[in-house]
Amino acid sequence: MKPNRYGKYIFKPPTFDSIFLPAPSVVAELLGLPENIVKTIPYLESFYNHNLNVSSSSRANLAKKGAAKPTINKISQWMKQLPIPFMQLYSLPLYIKVRRALNVRSNAGSWFSLVHGLKQSSHDSELPPFMAFINERANTDYLLLRNYKKSVKLGLLKSDDEIAHWAHQQSTWSRASLVPLELLSAYKHYVELNSADKLKAVEQKTQALRAVFWMRLDFYLAAIATYDVGTALYEIRQGSDINFESYDGVFSSVIHSYAVTDEECTCFGAMLMKLRKILSHHKQESSWRALASYISIEESGNGEDKLKDKQYKQLKGWRNGVNMPSDKKLRKFVADIIDPIGDYDIEPTLIYLRIARGIDTMVGRMFKEVENDEKVLPIIAEVLASYPKYFEHFKQQAIKNITH
């Protein structure tokens, strides 16, 4: 790492605009996880109970203005004291892959590094199907952008030619995504019309929007599905009696409640419904008030009734996407729900709740992008409702891998 012209070191993860392969920092931000070094440091301090002696102002500058060498030396010494095998994370072949990806402006480099780091763990987990998907997607994205850059350099493509640009990447979308082929064709038709006859293009706008929203969500639906598949396989390895061939995943019912049924709820609210079902399955009280009773309230006021009312009001806010909990509060909420159930890992439940909140964030942003046009909401719901198709696709891949 080299300093800038002012002698400052800036820790800013490379992030390129892409809907085929969003950057890890974009995904982390949606999940409410640390997406840069400024947010990662307090997480590591808390996890390893080892504080870094660097001021808050110097920390804040790490991802913006940069930090001077004395601050970098402090961070380096602190990291060496953490029980993290940093030398195992370095690999010359990985470095070459990352550099090649950066050269073509692909987010693949960041994902290659992340997957390499996750693979260093000796613990069994639910992540192998997710990592396999990410690795394949990252390789595809790198090759797509490498070939695009090469074609532009040879004069075979013009970088400002939207029709040629889409023609170049359409086959990749057809092969490497679950976006319906008829929507990819409709989008191609829209791009061509928009260049030749804008009036006719307006008539095709709804179908083009359907394609755009599906392409925007394809990566996320696939990533969730591979995590969902991985969770089931992990539980089976731990002795669960899940019948994998007929299993439809944890998130299918959540998406169904959110995007298909007439139930008016956020995706986070639909996941809270799932928690009620988990409580009911384990013979626990499962009303909304019972679920709210697991929320920790620091200032309860006077009397038990006052506390219950505050807990219920807070849960009602969460269900509607208002005053959402911090990671610490959400973790305690889930832990308190799981505690009476017994031997049950809270991490997957936390991740599903983060995923649900991330979907709410994405839908809100897409809705805002179309200037709150309510006609697009059924289109987004239709795309989200395709989640079982994604889960089944990756489940069949897993079954094929198991039987070979």
Side-chain angles (χ1 to χ4, degrees), residues 303-318:
E304 186 179 343
D305 289 341
K306 189 77 172 176
L307 170 62
K308 289 181 178 178
D309 287 343
K310 283 192 172 184
Q311 289 172 321
Y312 185 69
K313 183 179 179 180
Q314 193 156 109
L315 184 68
K316 190 175 180 180
W318 292 1

Side-chain angles (χ1 to χ4, degrees), residues 50 82 130 155 162 178 216 225 319 331 350 375 377 398 403:
H50 188 65
L82 301 179
F130 169 75
E162 191 177 359
L178 292 183
R216 286 276 296 274
R319 291 169 62 190
R331 179 175 289 276
L350 273 170
K375 292 195 293 293
L377 292 178
T403 55

Side-chain angles (χ1 to χ4, degrees), residues 265-299:
C265 64
T266 61
C267 194
F268 191 84
M271 186 59 206
L272 291 174
M273 292 182 205
K274 186 74 175 181
L275 290 183
R276 289 179 59 195
K277 291 177 182 177
I278 291 172
L279 287 171
S280 178
H281 178 73
H282 288 86
K283 307 292 190 286
Q284 302 290 321
E285 175 59 42
S286 59
S287 65
W288 282 116
R289 285 195 173 271
L291 188 65
S293 69
Y294 294 100
I295 297 176
S296 177
I297 302 285
E298 292 181 3
E299 295 182 11

Side-chain angles (χ1 to χ4, degrees), residues 248-375:
D248 59 4
V250 170
F251 220 67
S252 292
S253 62
V254 175
I255 286 292
H256 184 79
S257 296
Y258 173 55
V260 180
T261 68
D262 293 331
E263 182 86 40
E264 288 190 16
C265 64
T266 61
C267 194
F268 191 84
M271 186 59 206
L272 291 174
M273 292 182 205
K274 186 74 175 181
L275 290 183
R276 289 179 59 195
K277 291 177 182 177
I278 291 172
L279 287 171
S280 178
H281 178 73
H282 288 86
K283 307 292 190 286
Q284 302 290 321
E285 175 59 42
S286 59
S287 65
W288 282 116
R289 285 195 173 271
L291 188 65
S293 69
Y294 294 100
I295 297 176
S296 177
I297 302 285
E298 292 181 3
E299 295 182 11
S300 61
N302 297 319
E304 186 179 343
D305 289 341
K306 189 77 172 176
L307 170 62
K308 289 181 178 178
D309 287 343
K310 283 192 172 184
Q311 289 172 321
Y312 185 69
K313 183 179 179 180
Q314 193 156 109
L315 184 68
K316 190 175 180 180
W318 292 1
R319 291 169 62 190
N320 292 305
V322 177
N323 297 323
M324 298 299 285
S326 65
D327 185 69
K328 184 177 179 181
K329 186 159 192 170
L330 187 63
R331 179 175 289 276
K332 179 164 175 44
F333 171 65
V334 174
D336 288 345
I337 291 172
I338 298 305
D339 184 57
I341 292 176
D343 186 17
Y344 202 82
D345 187 2
I346 73 168
E347 293 302 328
T349 304
L350 273 170
I351 290 174
Y352 283 123
L353 283 163
R354 289 189 184 111
I355 288 170
R357 183 158 58 180
I359 287 177
D360 286 329
T361 301
M362 281 196 72
V363 170
R365 289 173 181 174
M366 289 190 291
F367 188 46
K368 189 175 180 180
E369 285 171 10
V370 294
E371 299 177 341
N372 299 339
D373 184 354
E374 294 192 1
K375 292 195 293 293

Side-chain angles (χ1 to χ4, degrees), residues 8-26:
K8 299 292 183 73
Y9 295 80
I10 299 176
F11 291 79
K12 189 174 182 181
T15 301
F16 306 109
D17 287 336
S18 173
I19 60 173
F20 183 76
L21 184 69
S25 58
V26 172

Side-chain angles (χ1 to χ4, degrees), residues 130-334:
F130 169 75
M131 290 191 291
F133 159 71
I134 288 294
N135 202 50
E136 183 176 350
R137 189 90 167 196
N139 278 319
T140 302
D141 188 71
Y142 163 67
L143 292 173
L144 172 68
L145 291 173
R146 187 195 67 179
N147 292 338
Y148 172 75
K149 189 173 183 180
K150 188 181 293 184
S151 295
V152 170
K153 190 174 182 179
L154 293 172
L156 302 175
L157 278 176
K158 292 182 179 178
S159 58
D160 60 349
D161 187 339
E162 191 177 359
I163 295 175
H165 192 171
W166 174 245
H168 172 76
Q169 59 178 301
Q170 185 177 353
S171 61
T172 298
W173 277 98
S174 301
R175 184 183 71 259
S177 80
L178 292 183
V179 181
L181 296 180
E182 63 271 19
L183 288 186
L184 295 176
S185 297
Y187 184 71
K188 177 186 177 184
H189 184 52
Y190 171 79
V191 171
E192 291 170 345
L193 279 176
N194 201 45
S195 178
D197 191 333
K198 292 189 183 296
L199 187 61
K200 284 188 177 180
V202 170
E203 298 172 6
Q204 298 291 323
K205 187 177 179 181
T206 299
Q207 196 72 338
L209 272 178
R210 185 174 279 107
V212 169
F213 286 138
W214 207 307
M215 287 189 287
R216 286 276 296 274
L217 289 167
D218 177 77
F219 170 85
Y220 296 97
L221 293 176
I224 296 166
T226 53
Y227 181 78
D228 215 352
V229 167
T231 301
L233 292 174
Y234 174 74
E235 289 184 7
I236 290 170
R237 291 195 299 272
Q238 299 303 307
S240 172
D241 59 356
I242 291 174
N243 183 343
F244 189 56
E245 290 196 3
S246 61
Y247 187 63
D248 59 4
V250 170
F251 220 67
S252 292
S253 62
V254 175
I255 286 292
H256 184 79
S257 296
Y258 173 55
V260 180
T261 68
D262 293 331
E263 182 86 40
E264 288 190 16
C265 64
T266 61
C267 194
F268 191 84
M271 186 59 206
L272 291 174
M273 292 182 205
K274 186 74 175 181
L275 290 183
R276 289 179 59 195
K277 291 177 182 177
I278 291 172
L279 287 171
S280 178
H281 178 73
H282 288 86
K283 307 292 190 286
Q284 302 290 321
E285 175 59 42
S286 59
S287 65
W288 282 116
R289 285 195 173 271
L291 188 65
S293 69
Y294 294 100
I295 297 176
S296 177
I297 302 285
E298 292 181 3
E299 295 182 11
S300 61
N302 297 319
E304 186 179 343
D305 289 341
K306 189 77 172 176
L307 170 62
K308 289 181 178 178
D309 287 343
K310 283 192 172 184
Q311 289 172 321
Y312 185 69
K313 183 179 179 180
Q314 193 156 109
L315 184 68
K316 190 175 180 180
W318 292 1
R319 291 169 62 190
N320 292 305
V322 177
N323 297 323
M324 298 299 285
S326 65
D327 185 69
K328 184 177 179 181
K329 186 159 192 170
L330 187 63
R331 179 175 289 276
K332 179 164 175 44
F333 171 65
V334 174

Side-chain angles (χ1 to χ4, degrees), residues 96-116:
I96 294 170
K97 284 178 70 175
V98 170
R99 290 305 308 172
R100 285 173 176 169
L102 288 174
N103 287 339
V104 298
R105 302 182 61 79
S106 169
N107 291 317
S110 300
W111 284 113
F112 288 146
S113 298
L114 179 61
V115 170
H116 176 76

